């Protein structure tokens, strides 16, 4: 019977945890990295391996959903930022046209001689139209800023929700790593004890 008999290193036996032994008391090393073309490359994985043991985060679908929600909020903020810049540029252009019309009016009135009443009236009408356009753009900008402020708040909340799940994952991963470390030490102690027992048996069987 082989019950209770320690097996020699290199026999390919597996412990209850499923770890394969190789010659010299070591264990087969399993690659845990993602290939560069993998979708998980560069991001936190849902799992991590130590030997044949694997860490799996049960809330990984929730984490991925919150990442996507945050990315969507980022896109909304970026679009509103672009709209804000466009409206501000339009408003600055209208303000420059108003200043130009006012300067031309001053030149007409200070030139001396007969005043071109018709020209002054035209410039005054253009200035009034530009002021109305500026007022409309100012209201539009205020609306964009209000929507942008709301979108930024939603982005902050989405980022906080994502970080909360990520922190939970990191805590669970650290606990798992510590447990794997304790098991590793226990396994090495068992291996050392088996080797000592084998050496003692071989010594006792020598003539």
């Amino acid at each position: 019977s082989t019950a209770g008999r320690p097996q020699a290193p290199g026999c390919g036996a597996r412990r209850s945890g499923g770890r394969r032994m190789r010659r010299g008391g070591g264990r087969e090393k399993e690659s845990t990295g993602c290939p560069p073309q993998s979708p998980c490359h560069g991001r936190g994985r849902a799992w991590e391996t130590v030997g044949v043991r694997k860490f799996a985060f049960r809330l990984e679908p929730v984490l991925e959903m919150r990442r996507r929600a945050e990315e969507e909020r980022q896109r909304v903020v970026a679009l509103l930022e672009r709209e804000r810049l466009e409206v501000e540029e339009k408003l600055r252009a209208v303000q420059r046209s108003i200043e130009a019309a006012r300067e031309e009016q001053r030149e007409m009135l200070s030139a001396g001689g007969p005043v071109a009443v018709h020209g002054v009236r035209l410039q005054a009408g253009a200035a009034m139209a530009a002021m109305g356009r500026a007022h409309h753009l100012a209201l539009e900008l205020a609306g964009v800023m209000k929507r942008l402020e709301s979108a930024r708040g939603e982005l902050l909340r989405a980022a906080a929700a994502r970080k909360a799940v990520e922190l939970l994952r990191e805590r669970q991963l650290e606990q798992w790593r510590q447990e794997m470390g304790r098991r590793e030490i226990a396994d090495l102690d068992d291996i050392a004890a088996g080797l000592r027992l084998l050496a003692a048996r071989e010594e006792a069987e020598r003539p």
Side-chain angles (χ1 to χ4, degrees):
S1 172
T2 60
R5 181 183 302 170
Q7 293 179 316
C11 65
R14 291 182 179 269
R15 293 174 46 79
S16 60
R19 178 170 297 162
R20 171 179 289 176
M21 305 304 301
R22 69 179 180 185
R23 192 173 304 279
R27 61 188 175 91
E28 288 190 350
K29 185 176 181 181
E30 179 176 331
S31 172
T32 60
C34 294
Q37 67 273 19
S38 172
C40 71
H41 183 71
R43 300 184 67 173
R45 298 194 301 274
W47 50 266
E48 180 171 314
T49 61
V50 172
V52 295
R53 296 188 176 104
K54 181 184 294 186
F55 167 76
F57 184 49
R58 291 183 299 175
L59 295 180
E60 187 66 23
V62 176
L63 178 56
E64 187 60 30
M65 180 180 65
R66 293 191 178 182
R67 282 173 178 158
R68 288 196 298 268
E70 183 183 6
E71 290 170 356
E72 178 60 28
R73 299 295 183 274
Q74 289 172 341
R75 283 191 289 270
V76 171
V77 169
L79 288 173
L80 288 172
E81 284 283 5
R82 189 179 308 130
E83 185 177 354
R84 176 185 65 82
L85 293 175
E86 291 174 354
V87 175
E88 286 179 344
E89 179 57 34
K90 290 178 181 178
L91 183 58
R92 283 192 293 268
V94 171
Q95 289 172 340
R96 287 193 296 268
S97 69
I98 292 173
E99 289 300 322
R102 287 175 176 173
E103 181 63 25
E104 191 169 348
Q105 278 183 302
R106 284 193 293 267
E107 290 177 357
M108 287 180 178
L109 293 173
S110 63
V115 178
V117 178
H118 180 68
V120 172
R121 286 178 177 175
L122 286 177
Q123 289 299 326
M128 290 296 294
M131 290 177 63
R133 174 65 175 161
H135 179 69
H136 174 76
L137 287 171
L139 292 177
E140 183 179 351
L141 180 60
V144 172
M145 292 299 295
K146 184 176 181 180
R147 286 185 286 134
L148 180 58
E149 182 180 0
S150 176
R152 285 172 175 167
E154 291 180 1
L155 175 57
L156 289 175
R157 288 189 290 272
R162 184 259 307 164
K163 288 178 182 178
V165 182
E166 283 185 341
L167 288 174
L168 178 61
R169 182 188 185 278
E170 289 302 317
R171 285 196 296 268
Q172 291 185 5
L173 178 58
E174 183 59 28
Q175 292 171 357
W176 178 83
R177 285 171 176 165
Q178 293 175 2
E179 176 62 24
M180 292 303 101
R182 287 190 291 268
R183 292 188 184 184
E184 181 80 10
I185 293 172
D187 289 345
L188 292 175
D189 289 343
D190 289 346
I191 292 170
L195 291 174
R196 287 194 298 269
L197 182 59
L198 180 61
R201 170 174 289 180
E202 291 176 348
E203 183 67 23
E205 290 178 352
R206 286 180 183 173

